[in-house]
Amino acid sequence: MCLVAITVLVAVVASCAPVAAPPAGDRLTGTIKMVSSFPRTGAARTYTDTLASAIRVALEDVNNRVGGATLTYVDLDDATVSRGN
């Protein structure tokens, strides 16, 4: 299941890569919030630390911008320490 999540995440982040600018009337503006909810504690943390880091690097590569919009990233945790997953 983690492999599927990684594949989907890579596809989403790759879609943020710079492309030719659209016509001025079609430019994005405002803020686009990207949210992940990986298990950030427990056994999967090693993998999800890497994923969260990759997202941050990809956003930095495009200066947290796409078109005229600013990209933000919120890293949530869907695991609990007591359950370990």
Side-chain angles (χ1 to χ4, degrees):
M1 185 159 120
C2 191
L3 182 59
V4 172
I6 292 169
T7 303
V8 170
L9 180 62
V10 168
V12 169
V13 172
S15 69
C16 294
V19 295
D26 294 340
R27 293 188 65 98
L28 294 171
T29 60
T31 301
I32 299 170
K33 182 186 292 187
M34 296 174 56
V35 179
S36 66
S37 185
F38 302 122
R40 303 294 282 130
T41 54
R45 181 173 179 179
T46 301
Y47 302 109
T48 60
D49 281 350
T50 302
L51 290 172
S53 178
I55 292 169
R56 287 186 190 96
V57 168
L59 292 175
E60 289 171 7
D61 284 349
V62 295
N63 296 319
N64 292 334
R65 308 274 305 163
V66 61
T70 300
L71 301 170
T72 62
Y73 173 57
V74 179
D75 181 11
L76 301 177
D77 184 358
D78 79 340
T80 62
V81 175
S82 62
R83 288 183 46 198
N85 62 19

